[in-house]
Amino acid sequence: MTTDPTRLAEKMAAPTAPKRTALDDSRGYRAFRKVNAVILLVVVAVTLYPFVNVVAQSFSDEQHILAGRVNLLPRGFNLETYKVVMSDSAFWNSYANTVLYTVTATAISLVLTTTYAYVLSKHHLKGRGLLIGIAVFTMFFNGGLIPNYVLISELGMKNTLWAIVLPNAISVFNLLVMKAFFESLPKELEEAAAIDGLNTYGILLRVVLPLSKAVVATMILFYAVANWNSWFSAFLYFDRSDLFPVTVYLRNMISGASTATSVGGAQSDLTQINSNIKAVTMVLTVLPIIAVYPFIQKYFVSGVMLGAVKQ
């Protein structure tokens, strides 16, 4: 009896379905899956409801908002607040400032955190304990608001980009997370790269970082969100309104609408703005992060070490 080589090759190449076990067919396991699906759907609904409600309020009329009749859909659809905010050239200038601050601060933070964490992941490094102690110390103690303000002023960084991007360039929590990730990488990879002639920088750039896409993407997201939402540093160190990020601009809009004195227009317009300015603020602030997140999220679930080391 002869076997067709082509058919045999196709059979071997065809993916095999995972074998079902007794656990998969059990009544208890099927019930668990259904209950688990229901619980997760409830969690998703509870999580999404506040966001949908905020979006609905941002497009609703003030009388419906004040009466508490806005839930998942806008009531009395209007764009008055969006028009007031987006017709202001200062808003777009603030948005451009925020993009500049976020990109610059995230890039600096990522470089400093990556290099610092890679150094701390080397157990043979002399003085490693001291470097870790210095980093951890700053998690619990800082100079205080007034000394920090005096320091930034004496360094001549007031009303400059550096007052935003440098003081909080390294998050110790992110540093420790990245350090733990680097320590989990197989040492054999770096030893093999060193045998091939790579120096420390070559190993970091050509071996370690390509295997660290997941943690790097996570750090980018953490730093970008933190810098995008930051407003107090700019509020403290900037005296010029043309340097304000969008968060400070919108903070001033909320303050102005609350007192009904700082926003131009008719009194009816001020009432409408005051009723849903918070919702519009949150929508305009969160929208860019929501747009960027899907491009980074895929790295969270990828098998970063798959195929890196073969037994």
Side-chain angles (χ1 to χ4, degrees):
M1 180 177 180
T2 59
T3 303
D4 186 358
T6 304
R7 183 174 299 178
L8 180 60
E10 292 176 353
K11 184 177 180 180
M12 295 177 63
T16 58
K19 295 182 179 180
R20 296 183 62 85
T21 63
L23 178 62
D24 296 332
D25 297 326
S26 66
R27 182 179 300 178
Y29 184 70
R30 292 198 300 269
F32 166 77
R33 293 179 60 183
K34 293 179 181 179
V35 172
N36 191 43
V38 171
I39 293 176
L40 290 178
L41 288 175
V42 172
V43 171
V44 170
V46 171
T47 304
L48 287 180
Y49 175 77
F51 293 98
V52 177
N53 179 256
V54 166
V55 174
Q57 287 192 30
S58 70
F59 291 104
S60 298
D61 188 76
E62 56 94 11
Q63 60 182 351
H64 295 288
I65 298 175
L66 296 177
R69 294 194 292 264
V70 180
N71 289 312
L72 297 179
L73 296 176
R75 301 290 297 272
F77 185 83
N78 84 93
L79 298 173
E80 187 61 39
T81 306
Y82 281 102
K83 291 179 181 178
V84 171
V85 174
M86 301 184 69
S87 64
D88 188 358
S89 60
F91 169 77
W92 296 109
N93 180 68
S94 299
Y95 234 103
N97 290 337
T98 299
V99 172
L100 175 63
Y101 301 155
T102 301
V103 172
T104 306
T106 301
I108 293 176
S109 297
L110 187 62
V111 171
L112 295 179
T113 304
T114 301
T115 52
Y116 198 176
Y118 185 66
V119 168
L120 296 181
S121 67
K122 303 306 172 187
H123 293 270
H124 62 273
L125 179 70
K126 293 182 179 180
R128 175 175 177 269
L130 176 62
L131 293 175
I132 295 177
I134 292 174
V136 173
F137 181 84
T138 61
M139 293 183 67
F140 305 101
F141 304 98
N142 61 74
L145 181 62
I146 295 177
N148 284 334
Y149 181 84
V150 173
L151 176 63
I152 296 299
S153 299
E154 291 297 323
L155 292 176
M157 293 195 300
K158 279 193 62 178
N159 292 317
T160 67
L161 168 69
W162 310 116
I164 302 296
V165 304
L166 290 184
N168 300 310
I170 296 180
S171 167
V172 179
F173 174 80
N174 294 344
L175 174 69
L176 297 179
V177 169
M178 185 168 272
K179 165 186 165 293
F181 182 87
F182 287 154
E183 289 177 338
S184 69
L185 295 177
K187 297 180 180 179
E188 293 78 7
L189 289 175
E190 298 187 38
E191 293 173 355
I195 294 174
D196 290 339
L198 290 180
N199 57 19
T200 302
Y201 300 102
I203 294 174
L204 175 61
L205 295 176
R206 301 180 62 179
V207 177
V208 175
L209 289 183
L211 294 175
S212 306
K213 291 181 180 179
V215 72
V216 170
T218 303
M219 293 301 106
I220 291 175
L221 184 63
F222 285 172
Y223 278 121
V225 170
N227 287 299
W228 184 273
N229 293 331
S230 176
W231 69 274
F232 187 70
S233 295
F235 182 76
L236 185 64
Y237 300 128
F238 288 168
D239 298 328
R240 295 165 44 190
S241 60
D242 60 309
L243 297 176
F244 286 164
V246 70
T247 48
V248 175
Y249 173 86
L250 294 175
R251 179 260 177 197
N252 293 338
M253 282 286 296
I254 294 175
S255 177
S258 299
T259 58
T261 57
S262 299
V263 180
Q267 186 63 35
S268 59
D269 294 340
L270 291 176
T271 303
Q272 172 60 50
I273 292 171
N274 188 32
S275 63
N276 64 351
I277 183 66
K278 293 181 180 179
V280 173
T281 298
M282 286 185 278
V283 171
L284 292 176
T285 302
V286 171
L287 189 60
I289 298 298
I290 294 178
V292 172
Y293 179 78
F295 298 98
I296 301 178
Q297 187 268 345
K298 62 180 180 180
Y299 293 105
F300 296 161
V301 295
S302 63
V304 64
M305 289 300 298
L306 183 61
V309 179
K310 297 185 180 297
Q311 299 289 336

